[in-house]
Amino acid sequence: EAQVTQNPRYLITVTGKKLTVTCSQNMNHEYMSWYRQDPGLGLRQIYYSMNVEVTDKGDVPEGYKVSRKEKRNFPLILESPSPNQTSLYFCASGLGQGKGGSQFFGPGTRLTVL
Amino acid sequence: QKEVEQNSGPLSVPEGAIASLNCTYSDRGSQSFFWYRQYSGKSPELIMSIYSNGDKEDGRFTAQLNKASQYVSLLIRDSQPSDSATYLCAVNRGRASKIIFGSGTRLSIRP
């Protein structure tokens, strides 16, 4: 089954404790992206990757890191989480190259930072 | 001004009628346009993409793009209760793959 998986689905943590949210896709997509979704603000892009070893900032990259060592995986790293990073996070993958908006989304990770 | 604007709704439409959802964007260099549907508590799913001016039809859905007016819309014919969801407009800026989403329009189909 073609899918994007994210882990964990739910996470409660404390300020400053490093965490990683994993994302994996099995569709051989070149393009992958991370978003956060907040009430009233909609979906905002954090980082995206056009291919292995190629990453770029979205609109809200501060406080986040990503890496793309393999085509299928695109982990999101919060080195020192803060309460304002409490949000619903989505990973997505797609065809890229101008059709990057055609994306398949993972189920989401609800993060709470205390 | 937000880069991609949508009326937040809720938009209430009777079952069987046409639902019309609108989206405007500010970057004239935008090249690709998408509509996603998001049910409450679920992730967004792509329902339509459109790249050139005019209409594109897929089943009960029609996407309309007018680049001169910087306007993209989604029409849903014969609306069903299962169409009740939030609809997100997304725009791909130029050649880059940075994607901007609108904040979504909540659609409610009343029986």
Side-chain angles (χ1 to χ4, degrees):
Chain A
E1 179 191 354
Q3 60 183 350
V4 179
T5 56
Q6 295 178 227
N7 281 292
R9 296 287 313 280
Y10 302 90
L11 179 60
I12 300 174
T13 189
V14 295
T15 300
K17 186 176 180 181
K18 181 179 178 180
L19 67 92
T20 299
V21 184
T22 64
C23 173
S24 183
Q25 52 96 3
N26 62 1
M27 294 168 279
N28 201 36
H29 284 157
E30 291 184 343
Y31 182 88
M32 296 187 76
S33 184
W34 276 102
Y35 298 87
R36 60 178 290 174
Q37 188 171 38
D38 303 286
L41 296 176
L43 271 168
R44 292 180 292 167
Q45 193 172 38
I46 303 171
Y47 270 95
Y48 64 95
S49 169
M50 296 291 290
N51 213 327
V52 176
E53 302 293 0
V54 180
T55 62
D56 231 325
K57 295 178 181 179
D59 279 335
V60 288
E62 295 78 20
Y64 305 95
K65 284 175 59 177
V66 292
S67 68
R68 188 91 182 273
K69 294 186 172 64
E70 305 166 281
K71 199 172 189 178
R72 63 181 291 124
N73 296 324
F74 190 45
L76 179 70
I77 302 155
L78 284 74
E79 294 269 3
S80 182
S82 61
N84 65 12
Q85 292 178 298
T86 292
S87 188
L88 177 59
Y89 291 86
F90 289 104
C91 179
S93 72
L95 298 171
Q97 292 302 321
K99 298 188 190 300
S102 292
Q103 298 173 84
F104 294 85
F105 281 77
T109 294
R110 188 165 292 281
L111 172 65
T112 302
V113 183
L114 302 173
Chain B
Q1 181 193 7
K2 289 183 181 177
E3 194 160 341
V4 179
E5 297 222 45
Q6 297 180 254
N7 188 322
S8 62
L11 176 64
S12 181
V13 173
E15 186 174 353
I18 295 174
S20 178
L21 303 159
N22 304 316
C23 172
T24 58
Y25 61 94
S26 61
D27 185 352
R28 285 194 172 274
S30 301
Q31 295 185 355
S32 308
F33 307 86
F34 308 87
W35 283 99
Y36 286 81
R37 177 176 63 199
Q38 186 175 24
Y39 292 114
S40 181
K42 301 294 186 183
S43 54
E45 58 178 323
L46 179 71
I47 52 173
M48 290 287 287
S49 59
I50 186 165
Y51 306 103
S52 53
N53 280 329
D55 294 1
K56 179 181 176 183
E57 188 174 316
D58 184 0
R60 294 187 297 113
F61 299 98
T62 299
Q64 300 174 316
L65 174 61
N66 184 325
K67 288 187 179 180
S69 300
Q70 295 174 248
Y71 176 95
V72 58
S73 64
L74 179 70
L75 301 177
I76 307 174
R77 290 182 299 281
D78 188 23
S79 297
Q80 302 296 310
S82 59
D83 294 325
S84 297
T86 296
Y87 289 80
L88 305 170
C89 173
V91 174
N92 186 192
R93 289 176 184 163
R95 290 180 61 83
S97 281
K98 188 178 285 191
I99 311 297
I100 304 296
F101 279 81
S103 53
T105 297
R106 193 153 53 94
L107 174 65
S108 175
I109 306 301
R110 58 181 191 270

